[in-house]
Structures are given as structure tokens and as C-alpha cells.
Amino acid sequence: MNTTQLAKYLPILDWGRTYDRSALTNDLVAALIVTIMLIPQSLAYALLAGLPPEMGLYASMLPIILYAIFGTSRALAVGPVAVVSLLTVAAVSKIAVPGTSEYIAAAITLAFLSGLILLALGVFRLGFLANFLSHPVIAGFITATGIIIAASQMKNILGIDAHGHTLPDLIGSLAHNLSQVNWVTAVIGVLATGFLFWVRKGLLPSLVGLGVAPRIAGIVAKAGPVAAIVVTTLIVWFFDLAERGVQVVGDVPKGLPPLTMPSFSIDMWSNLIGAAVLISVIGFVESVSVAQTLAAKKRQRINPDQELIGLGAANLGASFTGGFPVTGGFSRSVVNYDAGADTPAAGAYTAIGLAGASLFLTPLIFHLPKATLAATIIVAVLSLVDFSILKKTWSHSKADFAAVAATMTITLLMGVELGVTAGVSISILIHLYKTSRPHMAIVGQVPETEHYRNVLRHNVLTDPTILTIRVDESLYFANTRFLEDRIYDEVAEQPELQHVVLMCSAVNTIDMSALESLEAINERLKAGGVTFHFSEVKGPVMDQLSATGFLDVLSGEVFLSQHDARTTLRVRSDL
């Protein structure tokens, strides 16, 4: 295997050959900005997953390096993300109590299973399976998940105890414990949330308006969460607010990620495998969507199947270094791109920066209030909430609207696992429903042209002895009965009919069940004195029909174009 072939499986060999000083400078700057952003995010998402905060840092080191070696996106930043963290806590809390060693072991095992699944999908080139989860359903799921995550963090904002994995449970629990609000915590949480919202929306234009260079202003704006962490940590430490009930992160072990091993318990695997599949699919879809969007801006391409391998390697790396499931994050990837990252090496430099933070900075966050981390999560996830998807799908497709609405409702009321399962199921059912009832049109000739259009949409010429039906879908087992019924109904209503032409310009394949149906249609029409013809059949479909001997029993002909069919059959009808 030569270097070019090997680069397909190790993309680092591709971009690494042309790596220069300019790329190094851009990647180092991007890494610095992303590192500043990732420190609070990593801690926050670990707590969201019900895990010790240092595991967030661990999950952001080796996984990034492994993705840089095996991934194809030059801007994607891999690590813990809100949705996957919520899916993790929903899955792992069913088999262990948060905070226990069993819970940590289960989270590590979940990352291992997710890595195996992603790696297997990539090796066998099965990335296309994620296409069955439609974008509207994903948007609806992420919106509902963002609401649940934000609601789940209100307990840390208010300093009260609350629990639940569905919106009604969370709201009920928060309402029940509302009398126990710690007002000092609430003040810190509300002010931190308000500040972070202002940083996200208002700081950058304010700095630019003051004459700060846009690039410098962007770096300062991205450092907003760090400022909130530093200020609130100093306030808690100086006034000893932990003694007044303000919950803090506490002791975070310093050092590099430990070597860990996933559990190989059959019982644990059987309990986690379903969640691992969901996390793998959701993580891959979110990651590849971000990667494709950013790659398109620089006229680059990514390989979805190789992305599966990159993400699989990242999750396996997380499982062996004390982490939990990871994927490509939207916000950090956009920051990485905007900061000028040229290659995946920016991620490796980010990992080095996080390693330094884990070695030297963790003692400084002992007094970091959990309310500040909750504010960081809330601001991040609410940017993902998009109710406009309901309006868009309602105006575009009622079926898509139903899928989005059902996914959001089930996720909010019954939990994220059922929500995403329902989303996948609904997406597949809608696809099957649409393809099982394909659009069909009776077509006629546009006057003085060789074009043929739907008789319901255009003023066209028709002949009572010739019926042309255009089917706008490939023919397979689920829609052949629909085709049969349509043809028989039309024939029954037209006593003068002599020819039926099936216009196949949109048919890309015909399976065995569809072929048997076409044979049945041919025999039934022949018995009724009607000839069955085809027009505009594509080459691969023609090969299928020829190979089976169907053309030998066809009562009519296969015409190159619909105009040939109409011209020829009109002459025969006049005889």
C-alpha cells in the first residue's frame, strides 16, 4: 500500500505533507482560543453527565489527538457535548448511582461501546445508515434536549435539590423544592447567566465599536466564560460563600488522564448497548453535519465513513483515559474555524493546552461555584434551541412537521432515549409511507413541443386511446400494489383505451417484487385487450428488465422517449 492509499485511512499523512509555518501559527492561535473555551465547558459537561469534573478534561485530551490522526475534517473539535452528556446520564443512571465508582465505570464502558460501534460502521462503510435520521427530526430532538438540559441546570442556579430526566419531572421537582432556594447561589447563578448571554450577543460588537480589532475582540469575547469563572471563584473564596451553602466544584485531582479499562461484564454491556447505539448515531449525525458545513466554506471535503473511524478512535481513547462518550461539538468547532484553524493539528495543540491546565490549574478551581458551570451549560444549549423548525416544516411538509412535533413532545415528556428512538422510527416510517405511495401523474403533450407534463398542472394534448402514467419513484415491494391499483382504476374508467405507457424517467431501480407486479399488470391488460408499453427507461433499469426475460413477454414495446411512444401509438390507434 503506497502513501496515497494509506492517507485514505490516515488523513494526517495527507495534510501533514504540506504543513508549514503559516499553518502552525494559525493552528496555535486557534488552539489557544479553543482551550480557553474548553476548560469551563469540559468541567460543565462532566457535571451534566453526573461525573467528576476532571473527567471532562480527560475526555478532551487523547480523543482530540486520535481524531486529528484519523478524522478528515480540518476544523472539527471533538470532546464532550451537551446532548451526548445528557444521553450518558440518562443511560448510566439506570444501572448505577451517580458519583459511585460503578457509575464512573459504566460511563467509561459506554464510551468504549460507542467507539466500537462507530469503528465498525466506518470499517464496513455503513455511514449511510445515519441518513435515515432526517434533519428536521434531529433539529426537533436537539431543541427538546436543549430545553431539558437547561431545566436540569436550574437546580444548580438556584442551589436546590432536584432530579428527573423529563421536563414534567424536572419542573415538578424544582417546584417542590423551591422553598429551599439558596439566595446567594441564585444571585451568582442569575448574574453569571446574564453576563454570559451578554458576552455571547453583545460583547463583540461593543468591543469593535470601541475600536478594538475584530480578531482581538473575538478572542476576548470567547474568553467570556473564563472571566465569569475567575470572578465568581474569587468572590466565593474571598467571602467564604461555601460556608453559606454555595455549592463548589471542590477538589479536582491534578495530573494527566489515568489509564482506565472499560468493564467487560456481559450484564453491563447488555444494559448499555442500546444507549451506545443511540449516542453513536446522534453523535455522528451532529458531528458530520458540523464538519460538512465548515468544510464547504473552504471548498474542502470530508469522508463520512472515515469520520466514523475518527470518532470511533476518539471514543475508544476516551474509554482508556478516564473519559466518557465524545463527539464533534458545534460551538467549539465554529470557534476553532473562526479562530483560523488550518488543520486537525489545532486539536492536538488544544489537547496539550488542556493537559497543562489539568496539571497546573485544577487547584485554582476548588472554589468555583457549580452555579457558574450551570450558567455556562444553559447559555450553550439554549443557542441550539430552534422553534422555527416547527414553522418551517408546517409550511413545507405536514409529514415532517408531525415527525418534528412528535419527536419534541416524546423527548420532553418521556425522556431523551425514547425521544431519539421515536425520531428514528418516525423518520423511517415517513420514508416508507412516502415511497409506498409515490407521486404519479397522467401526462400529456405540451402543444407544439416534445415535452410531456401533468394534465392537472398544464394545458396538454391527450388521446383517449393512449394512457401515459409517469411514476416519480423507484419501484420496489412497498409501492407496487399502489401502482397496480392506480393503473387498473384508470383503465376501468376509459373504455376506449388501447395502450398504457409507463413513463419511467424517474425510476432508478426495479426490485423483484416490482417486476412480478409489472408481469401481473402486463397479463391483466393483455387479457383486457390493452397493450402495455414503457418509455424513457434508464440503462440500469433496462438491464434489469432484459436480464429477467420480462421484455420477451411484454405485450408492447419500450420506447426511447415519450414523444416516440405517443407518435407511434397514435398511428396504430388510427389504423
Side-chain angles (χ1 to χ4, degrees):
M1 182 180 292
N2 58 40
T3 305
T4 303
Q5 292 175 319
L6 191 60
K8 293 180 181 179
Y9 305 98
L10 291 172
I12 189 174
L13 298 179
D14 181 23
W15 56 263
R17 288 197 300 266
T18 58
Y19 201 70
D20 55 20
R21 181 174 297 180
S22 174
L24 172 65
T25 302
N26 291 335
D27 287 345
L28 286 173
V29 172
L32 174 63
I33 297 172
V34 175
T35 300
I36 293 172
M37 177 185 182
L38 267 185
I39 292 173
Q41 271 198 1
S42 299
L43 298 171
Y45 291 149
L47 293 176
L48 174 60
L51 295 164
E54 65 270 16
M55 288 186 68
L57 294 174
Y58 299 160
S60 301
M61 296 184 201
L62 184 59
I64 301 179
I65 295 174
L66 289 173
Y67 178 82
I69 296 172
F70 294 100
T72 59
S73 171
R74 300 198 175 195
L76 192 70
V78 172
V81 300
V83 174
V84 171
S85 296
L86 185 62
L87 287 168
T88 298
V89 69
V92 178
S93 60
K94 293 180 179 179
I95 62 175
V97 178
T100 63
S101 58
E102 291 82 5
Y103 186 92
I104 294 173
I108 290 172
T109 303
L110 186 60
F112 180 74
L113 290 175
S114 180
L116 286 181
I117 293 168
L118 289 164
L119 204 59
L121 290 174
V123 169
F124 292 103
R125 298 295 188 254
L126 298 177
F128 72 91
L129 292 175
N131 296 337
F132 286 102
L133 196 56
S134 68
H135 172 72
V137 166
I138 283 287
F141 172 74
I142 290 178
T143 292
T145 304
I147 294 171
I148 291 176
I149 293 173
S152 72
Q153 294 306 300
M154 289 305 298
K155 64 181 181 182
N156 292 322
I157 293 291
L158 300 175
I160 62 178
D161 183 35
H163 59 274
H165 298 302
T166 67
L167 190 61
D169 288 345
L170 287 167
I171 292 176
S173 185
L174 288 168
H176 180 73
N177 295 301
L178 203 56
S179 60
Q180 303 173 10
V181 170
N182 183 296
W183 293 105
V184 178
T185 300
V187 169
I188 293 174
V190 170
L191 289 178
T193 303
F195 171 73
L196 291 175
F197 270 119
W198 175 75
V199 165
R200 180 176 286 267
K201 299 292 184 181
L203 181 56
L204 179 60
S206 297
L207 292 174
V208 172
L210 293 174
V212 179
R215 188 174 180 84
I216 301 299
I219 295 175
V220 173
K222 299 300 186 301
V226 176
I229 284 176
V230 171
V231 171
T232 55
T233 300
L234 289 174
I235 290 173
V236 171
W237 167 75
F238 187 79
F239 294 102
D240 197 15
L241 297 182
E243 292 297 321
R244 300 185 61 179
V246 175
Q247 294 184 350
V248 296
V249 169
D251 185 35
V252 176
K254 65 178 181 178
L256 297 175
L259 180 63
T260 55
M261 288 291 291
S263 169
F264 292 95
S265 163
I266 298 300
D267 288 340
M268 182 174 288
W269 279 39
S270 63
N271 288 326
L272 292 177
I273 191 66
V277 171
L278 294 179
I279 287 173
S280 300
V281 173
I282 291 296
F284 170 65
V285 172
E286 179 180 354
S287 178
V288 80
S289 298
V290 176
Q292 287 176 332
T293 300
L294 297 180
K297 292 183 177 181
K298 288 189 175 182
R299 298 188 179 184
Q300 297 169 347
R301 290 180 59 85
I302 67 163
N303 182 338
D305 290 319
Q306 186 63 33
E307 284 297 289
L308 284 165
I309 294 175
L311 292 174
N315 276 279
L316 290 177
S319 70
F320 289 113
T321 53
F324 57 101
V326 298
T327 192
F330 175 77
S331 58
R332 70 172 65 104
S333 297
V334 172
V335 170
N336 195 38
Y337 176 87
D338 290 341
D342 274 349
T343 73
Y349 303 145
T350 298
I352 295 173
L354 290 172
S358 183
L359 282 170
F360 304 111
L361 300 182
T362 50
L364 303 179
I365 61 175
F366 182 94
H367 294 282
L368 170 60
K370 290 185 177 180
T372 303
L373 292 180
T376 301
I377 294 174
I378 290 172
V379 173
V381 299
L382 288 184
S383 66
L384 303 177
V385 174
D386 178 20
F387 287 111
S388 68
I389 192 66
L390 292 170
K391 181 179 179 181
K392 292 175 183 176
T393 52
W394 176 262
S395 60
H396 177 71
S397 168
K398 300 300 185 291
D400 285 339
F401 171 81
V404 173
T407 301
M408 291 179 64
T409 302
I410 293 172
T411 301
L412 290 172
L413 299 183
M414 303 180 70
V416 291
E417 289 186 336
L418 280 176
V420 71
T421 302
V424 173
S425 301
I426 292 170
S427 295
I428 295 174
L429 287 174
I430 287 176
H431 171 73
L432 291 175
Y433 177 77
K434 289 180 177 179
T435 57
S436 68
R437 300 174 62 84
H439 178 263
M440 296 183 189
I442 308 299
V443 301
Q445 182 182 12
V446 178
E448 300 181 5
T449 73
E450 295 185 4
H451 298 292
Y452 290 78
R453 295 291 185 268
N454 190 338
V455 298
L456 300 178
R457 294 177 177 271
H458 302 271
N459 293 321
V460 293
L461 303 175
T462 59
D463 188 318
T465 65
I466 304 171
L467 170 68
T468 299
I469 295 182
R470 189 190 69 221
V471 56
D472 296 331
E473 184 65 67
S474 291
L475 299 177
Y476 74 116
F477 65 90
N479 61 21
T480 52
R481 179 57 61 88
F482 188 72
L483 172 64
E484 287 187 50
D485 292 342
R486 178 65 184 274
I487 290 178
Y488 296 153
D489 289 344
E490 293 292 341
V491 171
E493 294 176 1
Q494 302 183 43
E496 300 179 38
L497 197 63
Q498 298 179 25
H499 305 280
V500 171
V501 182
L502 188 64
M503 188 174 175
C504 300
S505 53
V507 176
N508 295 316
T509 186
I510 297 177
D511 74 358
M512 199 63 199
S513 296
L515 182 64
E516 292 177 356
S517 290
L518 293 175
E519 291 174 346
I521 293 171
N522 180 59
E523 291 300 322
R524 184 163 174 176
L525 292 180
K526 185 177 179 181
V530 178
T531 310
F532 191 32
H533 308 271
F534 290 78
S535 71
E536 302 191 9
V537 180
K538 295 181 178 179
V541 177
M542 193 68 177
D543 293 340
Q544 289 178 308
L545 297 178
S546 300
T548 59
F550 172 75
L551 298 180
D552 296 332
V553 299
L554 180 65
S555 62
E557 301 176 36
V558 178
F559 294 96
L560 183 63
S561 70
Q562 179 55 36
H563 189 65
D564 288 344
R566 174 177 167 79
T567 303
T568 303
L569 296 178
R570 281 194 65 191
V571 172
R572 294 180 186 175
S573 298
D574 292 339
L575 296 178

